[in-house]
Amino acid sequence: MHKDIKKILLSADEIKKIVSELAEKINADFKGQPTVAIVLLKGSMFFAADLMRELTMPVSLDFMKLSSYGNETNSSGIVKILLDTSVELEGKNLLIIEDIVDSGRTLLKVQNMLKDRSPKCVRICTLLDKPDRREADVYVDYVGSVIPNEFVVGYGLDYAEQYRNLPYIGILDESVYSN
Ligand code: PRP
């Protein structure tokens, strides 16, 4: 285990199982309908890569990048759009792929933006949900794991751009960000 990690919350094997279970539900619901997967960078990259390889409908890939955190462990409250989608979304089934829903502000912003583009349907899938921190009223269709209010990193999630490449999700030791 990495020296800055206090505790492993989800091991690589546990993540794999969660991803498969999510894919099974999504495959059942989407019933083979063509879908655009919209991956919210950067954190969701690892999750999306694994999830998409288990999806059975025809699925195309697009990206958005929004930012709310800077290098802090607490959200700044401002969601900035750094990269927008590049394909036509009108009349399409959309699957938004997110790594973690915290305050919910990122998803609220994404939902509002996409609503204006007249998609056929928008569903949201997140690997992690931290409901204790929710501020915005967002409905998430698929949740991999509900987690406690701890600062987690790994499998795409960062602190100051580090730890994204850890194969598990772990709780970051306070000593890393308390000084
Ligand atoms: C993180 C995370 C989610 C969002 C969740 O992204 O990946 O997208 O914050 O927070 P919220 O529910 O409070 O909006 P971040 O802005 O840190 O960008 P990153 O994915 O590039 O690390």
Side-chain angles (χ1 to χ4, degrees):
M1 187 166 78
H2 192 289
K3 65 175 176 47
D4 297 345
I5 300 299
K6 193 164 73 173
K7 185 185 167 196
I8 292 181
L9 207 55
L10 295 172
S11 68
D13 283 348
E14 285 166 333
I15 294 170
K16 200 169 170 10
K17 189 162 173 273
I18 289 168
V19 172
S20 295
E21 285 165 0
L22 285 170
E24 205 175 308
K25 284 187 202 143
I26 294 167
N27 286 333
D29 287 354
F30 280 70
K31 298 185 177 70
Q33 297 175 79
T35 299
V36 182
I38 299 179
V39 179
L40 305 188
L41 294 171
K42 303 175 192 172
S44 312
M45 194 189 90
F46 293 76
F47 171 46
D50 287 341
L51 181 73
M52 280 190 70
R53 280 178 286 183
E54 296 204 40
L55 298 180
T56 52
M57 67 280 207
V59 61
S60 57
L61 172 64
D62 210 345
F63 299 101
M64 288 178 87
K65 179 159 167 52
L66 299 97
S67 188
S68 60
Y69 274 27
N71 281 350
E72 304 297 323
T73 51
N74 279 313
S75 169
S76 65
I78 301 158
V79 179
K80 289 189 283 190
I81 301 152
L82 304 177
L83 174 76
D84 204 348
T85 56
S86 61
V87 297
E88 176 61 56
L89 301 180
E90 192 178 337
K92 302 275 176 66
N93 297 304
L94 309 184
L95 177 66
I96 298 170
I97 302 180
E98 178 63 295
D99 53 349
I100 184 166
V101 184
D102 198 317
S103 71
R105 284 192 283 243
T106 301
L107 273 184
L108 189 68
K109 179 96 177 173
V110 170
Q111 272 183 327
N112 287 337
M113 281 175 72
L114 295 179
K115 217 165 45 189
D116 293 341
R117 300 174 191 181
S118 312
K120 184 171 165 200
C121 93
V122 181
R123 290 200 178 115
I124 297 170
C125 175
T126 187
L127 177 64
L128 305 175
D129 185 10
K130 214 192 255 185
D132 291 349
R133 302 245 314 163
R134 195 74 90 255
E135 289 169 28
D137 187 19
V138 283
Y139 178 76
V140 182
D141 301 84
Y142 308 98
V143 175
S145 182
V146 175
I147 63 164
N149 188 10
E150 302 271 11
F151 197 87
V152 291
V153 294
Y155 195 66
L157 290 106
D158 76 309
Y159 169 66
E161 293 300 329
Q162 296 300 303
Y163 313 107
R164 293 194 198 272
N165 59 325
L166 297 179
Y168 49 81
I169 291 168
I171 299 174
L172 190 63
D173 198 279
E174 288 89 356
S175 63
V176 178
Y177 55 85
S178 59
N179 325 323

